[in-house]
Amino acid sequence: MNARVSAVPSVALAVAPPPAPPPPPPPTSVRGRSFADVYQSVMERSGEMLPDQVVHVADLRMTTEGHIELPGGLRYRLNDVAVRHLSAALGLRWNRWFSSASGEERAEEINRRFSRTPGEKKIRAWMDRDGQADGIARAFLAPSFTPIDDHRIMERMHTMMKGLMDEYRFTAVQFTDSTTHYTAVHTEAFDLDGELLHPGFHLRNSEVGASALSLDDHWMRLVCLNGLMVRVGGKRSLYRTHRAIEDDQLAAALVIAVGRLPERWATAFGWMQSAKRITVPHPDDAVAAILGDSAEVPKVLLEEAQRVVLRDGDLSRFGVVQAITLVAHQTNKDPDVRFAMERLAGDYLAATPASLAV
């Protein structure tokens, strides 16, 4: 009787997995949208805005569908920001109280509070393209709130600085329910020991009172597209709370803010040169000191930045900054969290000892 022999494939005949494709080469020039393209997008978006409505809170009603009915019969759906504003105005914990409530129970409770709440609110709303209501309420604000809307900013830049803006590429344009972010970098780069760094600006705004209008110095590291915001002299290039402002004044403020950027870039670049040469004995502790007290940065991102700075092995002040901005760009997806992380990293860079500046 012949013994059964199990066939064992030869190692030489085993099919080897295909080789991994090589990583793409780093970019050699900055890419992004033109100012004209961004301007057009903002103008189209502004066309979705409905006229603001100022109403007495006691005259509002909630329907069983969850819509807000205004005097005259207009009905608005609510976005998340509007829900937060209403919760604060009426003293509610919306999600906790209404997670298991029926539409009738929710309407009854909110309408009772509407009827007992004095004062007025300014309601900002979008068009409702889905046709579920007459609009989508985006904010309930004080009647005196005078927003500086994005389309006014872009109109002033288009009128006064169109040629100058053609020297920039917008690498990120992000709209959330509460804020808008415009990141632009100049086509001319600084060379930091062979690395290309493109300077520019980050413009942040809120049409619903979540933040002031601000313009910060911004840097982008071309090899990995990290971003960094730096305040030279402890000041932002532009910071203005939302209040009434004439178009000419707004244009002047923007022209001055953008015009002072090159001098500020030169100062910040000196900090970067110095930061490359300063060793940080415990970079993970430095990351914790930079991000740990911020209520805007989740702990998981802090811990990831600590892991990255140790993994990458750059034990300089510049390496600490790069680890934070890498996580802000690649791991995090929330533009407001990214804004906070890039600003905190920039503050750390700005604290580079002046005596060591190149």
Side-chain angles (χ1 to χ4, degrees), residues 238-318:
L238 173 64
Y239 183 87
R240 185 178 176 91
T241 57
H242 289 268
R243 59 186 187 274
I245 182 173
E246 298 294 331
D247 284 346
D248 289 347
Q249 291 177 295
L250 177 59
L254 291 165
V255 169
I256 292 171
V258 175
R260 62 165 61 109
L261 288 175
E263 182 179 354
R264 294 166 63 92
W265 294 338
T267 299
F269 186 67
W271 291 338
M272 293 182 193
Q273 291 176 303
S274 182
K276 290 271 285 188
R277 293 160 176 78
I278 299 175
T279 300
V280 179
H282 302 286
D284 53 333
D285 290 342
V287 168
I290 295 165
L291 302 180
D293 292 334
S294 173
E296 301 166 285
V297 180
K299 184 180 179 181
V300 66
L301 295 179
L302 184 158
E303 293 172 346
E304 176 65 8
Q306 289 180 301
R307 188 188 70 80
V308 167
V309 76
L310 294 175
R311 179 199 68 190
D312 291 350
D314 185 345
L315 305 185
S316 68
R317 288 182 70 93
F318 190 77

Side-chain angles (χ1 to χ4, degrees), residues 79-157:
N79 71 9
D80 290 342
V81 174
V83 167
R84 290 199 299 270
H85 286 180
L86 270 186
S87 298
L90 301 179
L92 293 168
R93 295 186 177 183
W94 195 285
N95 292 333
R96 179 178 295 182
W97 290 11
F98 301 137
S99 61
S100 59
S102 67
E104 289 79 6
E105 291 170 329
R106 179 180 56 198
E108 180 183 2
E109 178 63 29
I110 290 176
N111 288 333
R112 180 167 55 251
R113 289 175 180 255
F114 276 153
S115 66
R116 297 174 180 176
T117 302
E120 296 178 319
K121 289 293 183 184
K122 176 181 285 187
I123 304 177
R124 311 209 80 195
W126 297 113
M127 297 173 62
D128 186 355
R129 290 297 186 184
D130 295 337
Q132 298 181 39
D134 299 308
I136 303 173
R138 55 194 298 225
F140 290 79
L141 303 161
S144 60
F145 180 77
T146 307
I148 305 172
D149 288 328
D150 285 16
H151 69 86
R152 287 188 63 202
I153 298 168
M154 291 299 165
E155 282 174 346
R156 294 303 92 204
M157 296 178 80

Side-chain angles (χ1 to χ4, degrees), residues 15 19 43 60 68 126-128 135 154 183 203 226 235 260 300 303 307-308 332 340 349:
V15 178
M43 293 302 107
L60 295 173
I68 295 296
W126 297 113
M127 297 173 62
D128 186 355
M154 291 299 165
T183 305
L203 191 151
N226 285 5
K235 296 182 179 179
R260 62 165 61 109
V300 66
E303 293 172 346
R307 188 188 70 80
V308 167
N332 162 70
L349 179 70

